[in-house]
PDB file of all heavy atoms in Angstrom:
ATOM      1  N   ASP T 287     171.296 -88.827 251.816  1.00  0.00           N
ATOM      2  CA  ASP T 287     171.825 -89.237 250.420  1.00  0.00           C
ATOM      3  C   ASP T 287     173.068 -88.458 250.158  1.00  0.00           C
ATOM      4  O   ASP T 287     172.790 -87.474 249.438  1.00  0.00           O
ATOM      5  CB  ASP T 287     170.711 -89.291 249.467  1.00  0.00           C
ATOM      6  CG  ASP T 287     171.225 -89.828 248.208  1.00  0.00           C
ATOM      7  OD1 ASP T 287     172.426 -90.204 247.965  1.00  0.00           O
ATOM      8  OD2 ASP T 287     170.379 -90.017 247.256  1.00  0.00           O
ATOM      9  N   VAL T 288     174.162 -88.737 250.734  1.00  0.00           N
ATOM     10  CA  VAL T 288     175.387 -88.054 250.396  1.00  0.00           C
ATOM     11  C   VAL T 288     176.443 -89.058 249.848  1.00  0.00           C
ATOM     12  O   VAL T 288     176.815 -90.010 250.335  1.00  0.00           O
ATOM     13  CB  VAL T 288     176.050 -87.392 251.623  1.00  0.00           C
ATOM     14  CG1 VAL T 288     177.298 -86.661 251.271  1.00  0.00           C
ATOM     15  CG2 VAL T 288     175.115 -86.398 252.329  1.00  0.00           C
ATOM     16  N   GLU T 289     176.844 -88.735 248.566  1.00  0.00           N
ATOM     17  CA  GLU T 289     177.667 -89.651 247.917  1.00  0.00           C
ATOM     18  C   GLU T 289     179.022 -88.934 247.688  1.00  0.00           C
ATOM     19  O   GLU T 289     179.144 -87.811 247.247  1.00  0.00           O
ATOM     20  CB  GLU T 289     177.158 -90.007 246.474  1.00  0.00           C
ATOM     21  CG  GLU T 289     178.002 -90.979 245.688  1.00  0.00           C
ATOM     22  CD  GLU T 289     177.598 -91.072 244.237  1.00  0.00           C
ATOM     23  OE1 GLU T 289     176.547 -90.494 243.832  1.00  0.00           O
ATOM     24  OE2 GLU T 289     178.316 -91.786 243.558  1.00  0.00           O
ATOM     25  N   ILE T 290     180.200 -89.596 247.995  1.00  0.00           N
ATOM     26  CA  ILE T 290     181.450 -89.271 247.605  1.00  0.00           C
ATOM     27  C   ILE T 290     181.834 -90.108 246.424  1.00  0.00           C
ATOM     28  O   ILE T 290     182.055 -91.268 246.450  1.00  0.00           O
ATOM     29  CB  ILE T 290     182.432 -89.322 248.789  1.00  0.00           C
ATOM     30  CG1 ILE T 290     181.900 -88.449 249.962  1.00  0.00           C
ATOM     31  CG2 ILE T 290     183.795 -88.991 248.365  1.00  0.00           C
ATOM     32  CD1 ILE T 290     182.828 -88.648 251.251  1.00  0.00           C
ATOM     33  N   GLN T 291     182.068 -89.342 245.311  1.00  0.00           N
ATOM     34  CA  GLN T 291     182.324 -89.908 244.058  1.00  0.00           C
ATOM     35  C   GLN T 291     183.866 -89.874 243.597  1.00  0.00           C
ATOM     36  O   GLN T 291     184.199 -88.724 243.193  1.00  0.00           O
ATOM     37  CB  GLN T 291     181.460 -89.409 242.945  1.00  0.00           C
ATOM     38  CG  GLN T 291     181.405 -90.037 241.711  1.00  0.00           C
ATOM     39  CD  GLN T 291     180.378 -89.145 240.751  1.00  0.00           C
ATOM     40  OE1 GLN T 291     180.624 -88.124 240.339  1.00  0.00           O
ATOM     41  NE2 GLN T 291     179.250 -89.898 240.500  1.00  0.00           N
ATOM     42  N   PRO T 292     184.571 -90.852 243.740  1.00  0.00           N
ATOM     43  CA  PRO T 292     186.100 -90.664 243.403  1.00  0.00           C
ATOM     44  C   PRO T 292     186.258 -90.871 241.931  1.00  0.00           C
ATOM     45  O   PRO T 292     185.558 -91.542 241.100  1.00  0.00           O
ATOM     46  CB  PRO T 292     186.760 -91.920 244.153  1.00  0.00           C
ATOM     47  CG  PRO T 292     185.560 -92.909 244.325  1.00  0.00           C
ATOM     48  CD  PRO T 292     184.277 -92.223 244.160  1.00  0.00           C
ATOM     49  N   PHE T 293     187.341 -90.313 241.400  1.00  0.00           N
ATOM     50  CA  PHE T 293     187.819 -90.439 239.993  1.00  0.00           C
ATOM     51  C   PHE T 293     189.330 -90.169 240.002  1.00  0.00           C
ATOM     52  O   PHE T 293     189.866 -89.404 240.696  1.00  0.00           O
ATOM     53  CB  PHE T 293     186.984 -89.528 238.955  1.00  0.00           C
ATOM     54  CG  PHE T 293     187.051 -88.034 239.366  1.00  0.00           C
ATOM     55  CD1 PHE T 293     187.930 -87.252 238.831  1.00  0.00           C
ATOM     56  CD2 PHE T 293     186.190 -87.532 240.327  1.00  0.00           C
ATOM     57  CE1 PHE T 293     188.135 -85.903 239.099  1.00  0.00           C
ATOM     58  CE2 PHE T 293     186.237 -86.087 240.570  1.00  0.00           C
ATOM     59  CZ  PHE T 293     187.106 -85.357 240.026  1.00  0.00           C
ATOM     60  N   GLN T 294     189.904 -90.871 238.953  1.00  0.00           N
ATOM     61  CA  GLN T 294     191.353 -90.763 238.850  1.00  0.00           C
ATOM     62  C   GLN T 294     191.771 -89.395 238.000  1.00  0.00           C
ATOM     63  O   GLN T 294     191.120 -89.186 236.986  1.00  0.00           O
ATOM     64  CB  GLN T 294     191.985 -91.847 238.091  1.00  0.00           C
ATOM     65  CG  GLN T 294     191.779 -93.138 238.893  1.00  0.00           C
ATOM     66  CD  GLN T 294     192.731 -93.259 240.134  1.00  0.00           C
ATOM     67  OE1 GLN T 294     192.132 -93.127 241.261  1.00  0.00           O
ATOM     68  NE2 GLN T 294     194.050 -93.168 239.948  1.00  0.00           N
ATOM     69  N   ILE T 295     192.828 -88.735 238.513  1.00  0.00           N
ATOM     70  CA  ILE T 295     193.335 -87.648 237.747  1.00  0.00           C
ATOM     71  C   ILE T 295     194.779 -87.904 237.499  1.00  0.00           C
ATOM     72  O   ILE T 295     195.463 -88.531 238.232  1.00  0.00           O
ATOM     73  CB  ILE T 295     193.069 -86.297 238.185  1.00  0.00           C
ATOM     74  CG1 ILE T 295     193.772 -86.130 239.574  1.00  0.00           C
ATOM     75  CG2 ILE T 295     191.550 -85.978 238.450  1.00  0.00           C
ATOM     76  CD1 ILE T 295     193.596 -84.821 240.323  1.00  0.00           C
ATOM     77  N   VAL T 296     195.296 -87.462 236.256  1.00  0.00           N
ATOM     78  CA  VAL T 296     196.731 -87.459 236.077  1.00  0.00           C
ATOM     79  C   VAL T 296     197.511 -86.286 236.728  1.00  0.00           C
ATOM     80  O   VAL T 296     197.104 -85.089 236.447  1.00  0.00           O
ATOM     81  CB  VAL T 296     197.055 -87.517 234.573  1.00  0.00           C
ATOM     82  CG1 VAL T 296     198.459 -87.388 234.213  1.00  0.00           C
ATOM     83  CG2 VAL T 296     196.415 -88.628 233.925  1.00  0.00           C
ATOM     84  N   THR T 297     198.484 -86.566 237.539  1.00  0.00           N
ATOM     85  CA  THR T 297     199.181 -85.406 238.274  1.00  0.00           C
ATOM     86  C   THR T 297     200.583 -85.341 237.781  1.00  0.00           C
ATOM     87  O   THR T 297     201.323 -84.290 238.029  1.00  0.00           O
ATOM     88  CB  THR T 297     199.190 -85.623 239.725  1.00  0.00           C
ATOM     89  OG1 THR T 297     199.654 -86.941 240.002  1.00  0.00           O
ATOM     90  CG2 THR T 297     197.854 -85.521 240.405  1.00  0.00           C
ATOM     91  N   GLY T 298     201.130 -86.324 236.890  1.00  0.00           N
ATOM     92  CA  GLY T 298     202.501 -86.219 236.466  1.00  0.00           C
ATOM     93  C   GLY T 298     202.773 -87.096 235.217  1.00  0.00           C
ATOM     94  O   GLY T 298     201.852 -87.974 235.148  1.00  0.00           O
ATOM     95  N   TYR T 299     203.661 -86.747 234.532  1.00  0.00           N
ATOM     96  CA  TYR T 299     203.981 -87.667 233.264  1.00  0.00           C
ATOM     97  C   TYR T 299     205.456 -87.660 232.925  1.00  0.00           C
ATOM     98  O   TYR T 299     206.006 -86.546 232.893  1.00  0.00           O
ATOM     99  CB  TYR T 299     203.118 -87.196 232.071  1.00  0.00           C
ATOM    100  CG  TYR T 299     203.364 -88.079 230.868  1.00  0.00           C
ATOM    101  CD1 TYR T 299     202.673 -89.291 230.737  1.00  0.00           C
ATOM    102  CD2 TYR T 299     203.986 -87.614 229.710  1.00  0.00           C
ATOM    103  CE1 TYR T 299     202.977 -90.153 229.626  1.00  0.00           C
ATOM    104  CE2 TYR T 299     204.232 -88.302 228.624  1.00  0.00           C
ATOM    105  CZ  TYR T 299     203.551 -89.539 228.613  1.00  0.00           C
ATOM    106  OH  TYR T 299     203.759 -90.345 227.480  1.00  0.00           O
ATOM    107  N   THR T 300     205.977 -88.863 232.683  1.00  0.00           N
ATOM    108  CA  THR T 300     207.456 -88.972 232.163  1.00  0.00           C
ATOM    109  C   THR T 300     207.247 -89.310 230.754  1.00  0.00           C
ATOM    110  O   THR T 300     206.665 -90.351 230.407  1.00  0.00           O
ATOM    111  CB  THR T 300     208.160 -89.923 232.888  1.00  0.00           C
ATOM    112  OG1 THR T 300     208.008 -89.699 234.348  1.00  0.00           O
ATOM    113  CG2 THR T 300     209.643 -89.892 232.490  1.00  0.00           C
ATOM    114  N   ARG T 301     207.972 -88.711 229.860  1.00  0.00           N
ATOM    115  CA  ARG T 301     207.960 -89.003 228.396  1.00  0.00           C
ATOM    116  C   ARG T 301     208.590 -90.325 228.126  1.00  0.00           C
ATOM    117  O   ARG T 301     209.440 -90.814 228.828  1.00  0.00           O
ATOM    118  CB  ARG T 301     208.591 -87.879 227.629  1.00  0.00           C
ATOM    119  CG  ARG T 301     207.797 -86.589 227.546  1.00  0.00           C
ATOM    120  CD  ARG T 301     208.477 -85.566 226.668  1.00  0.00           C
ATOM    121  NE  ARG T 301     207.587 -84.320 226.632  1.00  0.00           N
ATOM    122  CZ  ARG T 301     206.478 -84.418 225.706  1.00  0.00           C
ATOM    123  NH1 ARG T 301     206.344 -85.389 224.819  1.00  0.00           N
ATOM    124  NH2 ARG T 301     205.835 -83.305 225.658  1.00  0.00           N
ATOM    125  N   PRO T 302     208.100 -90.860 226.981  1.00  0.00           N
ATOM    126  CA  PRO T 302     208.750 -92.173 226.563  1.00  0.00           C
ATOM    127  C   PRO T 302     210.221 -92.141 226.397  1.00  0.00           C
ATOM    128  O   PRO T 302     210.743 -91.130 225.974  1.00  0.00           O
ATOM    129  CB  PRO T 302     207.992 -92.644 225.281  1.00  0.00           C
ATOM    130  CG  PRO T 302     206.826 -91.717 225.242  1.00  0.00           C
ATOM    131  CD  PRO T 302     207.031 -90.389 226.061  1.00  0.00           C
ATOM    132  N   THR T 303     210.920 -93.224 226.544  1.00  0.00           N
ATOM    133  CA  THR T 303     212.350 -93.188 226.264  1.00  0.00           C
ATOM    134  C   THR T 303     212.652 -93.772 224.930  1.00  0.00           C
ATOM    135  O   THR T 303     213.599 -93.444 224.245  1.00  0.00           O
ATOM    136  CB  THR T 303     213.100 -94.100 227.270  1.00  0.00           C
ATOM    137  OG1 THR T 303     212.358 -95.365 227.437  1.00  0.00           O
ATOM    138  CG2 THR T 303     213.160 -93.574 228.611  1.00  0.00           C
ATOM    139  N   THR T 304     211.703 -94.539 224.379  1.00  0.00           N
ATOM    140  CA  THR T 304     211.923 -95.180 222.988  1.00  0.00           C
ATOM    141  C   THR T 304     210.513 -95.064 222.328  1.00  0.00           C
ATOM    142  O   THR T 304     209.521 -95.135 222.790  1.00  0.00           O
ATOM    143  CB  THR T 304     212.026 -96.666 223.281  1.00  0.00           C
ATOM    144  OG1 THR T 304     213.122 -96.941 224.101  1.00  0.00           O
ATOM    145  CG2 THR T 304     212.265 -97.358 221.929  1.00  0.00           C
TER     146      THR T 304
END
Side-chain angles (χ1 to χ4, degrees):
D287 185 353
V288 179
E289 184 196 350
I290 296 175
Q291 186 177 72
F293 55 94
Q294 290 298 111
I295 59 170
V296 173
T297 53
Y299 182 72
T300 309
R301 287 184 174 275
T303 48
T304 307

